Amino acid sequence: MKNRLLLKTASLLIVLALLMTGLSMIQDVVQDRIRNRDYAVQSVVASLAGSQTLIGPTLVQNCTETTSTSNGKKVEYTTREFQRLLLPDDLRHDASAHMEERSRGLHHVNAYVLHDQVSASFSNAAQYLESPKPSEPHAVVRCQEVNLAFALSDPRGIRSASIEANGKDLSVESGTPLNRYSKGIQAQVMPAMLKKGEPLNVSMKLQLVGTENLAFTPIATESKVTLTADWPHPSFGGSFLPTRREITDSGFTASWELSSLASSARQAFTRQQNLCSGSYRSEGMTYTSAEAARDNSGPCLESMSTEFVNPVNVYSLSERATKYGILFVVLTFVAVGLFEVMKQLRVHPVQYLLVGSALCSFFLLLISLSEHLGFATSYVIAASACVALLAFYASHILGSVKRGLPFALAISTLYALLYVLLQLEQTALVVGSIALFAVLALVMIFTRHVDWYAFGRNGSDSDAPARASNESQTAGQDYTPEEQA
């Protein structure tokens, strides 16, 4: 091929394709480590407890309505079962969470121990002293005992629970009579505790274990939640953000105050709808927010949730870093190409391949070291090792240490820029765009005087015009016989 530039471009494209394949394999390694981390979390959840959602308390009574119908000489009976639900008028949670880190191999899981003091008031609890009116004239309604139900998403995390009603201790049992929210605790309320004109005041003390996420449901007319934890990195979510919060280096305190006018949780609980966020497992089925979105029978059950997140997730940061891998390779090739053009050097495609391979190894070093040393330390070690290797190699392929050191400085700048982009979330795009524009501007400035046509020709082709000029000058000269002799 006569055009050396075209041959070099084709070779570099092949090198880029090989390096992209290598980066793809490294991304697969990162995804595999992320899956291993998820498996470790699920292993801890399976043996400890999962994310906890607290639903209740509420008064529940199972009733049966029997209707008799005469059909000639025969009497037919029809039975209908239903539940009477009474939600609290006032509900308060005074909760504190103490973090207990659990691990599976290299992976750490944020578990917590929750101490919750729950108080609820039912102003119309005396209605349970009378049986409900039948829906048919000849129907008979029979009701069972009244139970106080408190549902949990994962009751395996219960360490202790006690319930008082109007100052009297109740016997706590597992499970709830609720149709959908059947996981939790319950206690029978004696009729003597239900007095006309007097509210039923319930007090609960609960010690609960969970992992990573904690949520409360505002099913009362007035719901107030105060949560304190020794974890300085909370992420508040769900349907409502806290009205007040204070976050320090040692932990946080958050409080929610919510009226039923601002929430549809009471209606959703009465219909026993799915949760709007998170999941609730009952009778072998897991109800999620996606199912709630598909359920058109009513609103979903809203919650106020807090996630105990790790501020530096080495796997998500490593995954983001590998996405910049091909950009790293291209910019490095541009730097080598500039030296090749400006200094009239010749760098073989194999040398480009080795330089790109060193860059790719950085991402593999980063994910492997960060599992043991933390992300920032691993980044410094991996970047320093790659910069030192490239500085040594560039000093030889570029012909001198004076050329290798500026190349190493440029690579160091790229690594510093990548670290800044990984730390940024809201402004990563604008910073990256400005940096790319600055690189393009520098390339255009440094190559503004380059004759790309002359650079693309072989050495023999570039000498042809000079030879042709010399021959024409020689042909145009007149020689005398004496000069010819």
Side-chain angles (χ1 to χ4, degrees):
M1 184 180 294
K2 294 183 179 181
N3 196 322
R4 180 167 55 89
L5 182 60
L6 182 61
L7 177 62
K8 190 65 167 290
T9 302
S11 301
L12 291 182
L13 289 176
I14 295 175
V15 170
L16 279 176
L18 294 175
L19 293 176
M20 288 180 64
T21 302
L23 286 173
S24 177
M25 295 175 66
I26 294 175
Q27 289 178 347
D28 291 341
V29 172
V30 175
Q31 291 295 328
D32 184 64
R33 304 305 293 179
I34 293 176
R35 286 191 293 268
N36 289 342
R37 196 266 175 186
D38 293 338
Y39 293 151
V41 173
Q42 293 302 320
S43 176
V44 172
V45 169
S47 58
L48 183 64
S51 300
Q52 295 288 6
T53 301
L54 283 62
I55 308 173
T58 182
L59 293 178
V60 186
Q61 187 179 41
N62 291 326
C63 298
T64 303
E65 182 184 60
T66 304
T67 305
S68 60
T69 305
S70 298
N71 186 8
K73 296 182 179 180
K74 296 182 178 180
V75 179
E76 296 180 351
Y77 295 94
T78 304
T79 301
R80 180 178 67 92
E81 295 181 352
F82 64 96
Q83 286 185 334
R84 299 173 70 186
L85 298 178
L86 182 62
L87 305 185
D89 299 284
D90 184 76
L91 175 61
R92 297 174 183 269
H93 288 270
D94 187 6
S96 62
H98 173 66
M99 303 304 296
E100 291 185 354
E101 189 178 79
R102 305 299 175 93
S103 62
R104 281 289 188 273
L106 298 173
H107 309 287
H108 301 279
V109 182
N110 291 331
Y112 58 83
V113 178
L114 178 71
H115 296 268
D116 192 9
Q117 178 72 45
V118 186
S119 60
S121 176
F122 300 84
S123 61
N124 196 23
Q127 64 177 299
Y128 285 97
L129 293 173
E130 301 177 358
S131 298
K133 295 181 179 181
S135 60
E136 299 291 340
H138 302 287
V140 178
V141 178
R142 295 181 178 85
C143 294
Q144 301 176 8
E145 67 277 0
V146 180
N147 286 283
L148 183 73
F150 189 84
L152 297 169
S153 57
D154 196 342
R156 296 176 305 151
I158 298 176
R159 288 188 173 179
S160 64
S162 62
I163 302 177
E164 291 183 357
N166 288 341
K168 296 182 180 180
D169 293 333
L170 302 182
S171 178
V172 181
E173 299 178 358
S174 62
T176 75
L178 297 169
N179 293 330
R180 172 160 290 180
Y181 315 118
S182 60
K183 303 292 185 180
I185 57 176
Q186 62 180 333
Q188 183 179 350
V189 179
M190 305 305 295
M193 299 178 181
L194 307 176
K195 299 179 180 180
K196 292 184 178 181
E198 297 183 7
L200 177 65
N201 297 316
V202 176
S203 177
M204 298 178 55
K205 291 183 179 180
L206 184 67
Q207 186 176 356
L208 185 68
V209 177
T211 53
E212 295 193 337
N213 191 278
L214 174 64
F216 303 88
T217 55
I219 65 172
T221 305
E222 297 291 336
S223 300
K224 295 182 180 180
V225 177
T226 301
L227 176 61
T228 303
D230 56 352
W231 185 256
H233 309 291
S235 177
F236 302 108
S239 304
F240 308 96
L241 293 176
T243 54
R244 292 184 297 272
R245 61 181 179 179
E246 181 181 356
I247 303 175
T248 64
D249 294 337
S250 59
F252 72 91
T253 299
S255 60
W256 293 259
E257 295 183 6
L258 195 65
S259 170
S260 59
L261 298 176
S263 172
S264 62
R266 289 174 64 87
Q267 297 87 340
F269 182 83
T270 303
R271 295 170 177 263
Q272 298 196 36
Q273 297 293 116
N274 301 319
L275 290 173
C276 291
S277 60
S279 62
Y280 180 86
R281 186 170 181 81
S282 175
E283 298 179 355
M285 298 294 292
T286 301
Y287 305 99
T288 63
S289 57
E291 293 173 345
R294 295 194 299 267
D295 193 346
N296 298 322
S297 60
C300 57
L301 185 57
E302 299 167 329
S303 66
M304 303 168 287
S305 67
T306 302
E307 183 179 1
F308 304 96
V309 300
N310 289 315
V312 180
N313 189 328
V314 296
Y315 299 104
S316 62
L317 290 176
S318 298
E319 184 181 22
R320 289 178 58 192
T322 55
K323 294 179 180 179
Y324 292 98
I326 186 61
L327 181 62
F328 251 55
V329 173
V330 171
L331 291 179
T332 304
F333 280 13
V334 169
V336 176
L338 283 177
F339 278 102
E340 188 174 358
V341 172
M342 304 301 296
K343 302 300 182 181
Q344 299 296 318
L345 302 175
R346 299 194 63 179
V347 180
H348 198 274
V350 173
Q351 294 173 314
Y352 277 94
L353 178 62
L354 292 176
V355 170
S357 300
L359 293 172
C360 293
S361 66
F362 160 77
F363 301 101
L364 194 58
L365 285 172
L366 179 62
I367 183 62
S368 60
L369 292 176
S370 61
E371 293 182 335
H372 302 272
L373 303 177
F375 185 81
T377 303
S378 302
Y379 193 97
V380 172
I381 294 175
S384 300
C386 291
V387 169
L389 176 61
L390 290 174
F392 170 78
Y393 191 66
S395 299
H396 288 78
I397 65 174
L398 299 179
S400 67
V401 176
K402 292 183 179 180
R403 296 172 181 174
L405 290 180
F407 178 80
L409 180 61
I411 298 300
S412 301
T413 304
L414 283 179
Y415 280 120
L417 176 62
L418 176 60
Y419 188 82
V420 171
L421 292 177
L422 293 178
Q423 302 305 312
L424 299 176
E425 293 184 1
Q426 304 296 329
T427 57
L429 179 59
V430 64
V431 173
S433 301
I434 294 174
L436 282 178
F437 181 82
V439 171
L440 177 61
L442 290 175
V443 172
M444 295 176 69
I445 292 173
F446 288 144
T447 60
R448 66 187 184 276
H449 298 305
V450 174
D451 185 359
W452 294 101
Y453 285 105
F455 180 77
R457 289 192 295 265
N458 292 326
S460 58
D461 295 335
S462 59
D463 294 338
R467 292 197 304 269
S469 177
N470 294 333
E471 291 175 358
S472 62
Q473 292 177 2
T474 304
Q477 293 178 352
D478 296 329
Y479 297 96
T480 61
E482 291 78 11
E483 290 173 337
Q484 292 178 352

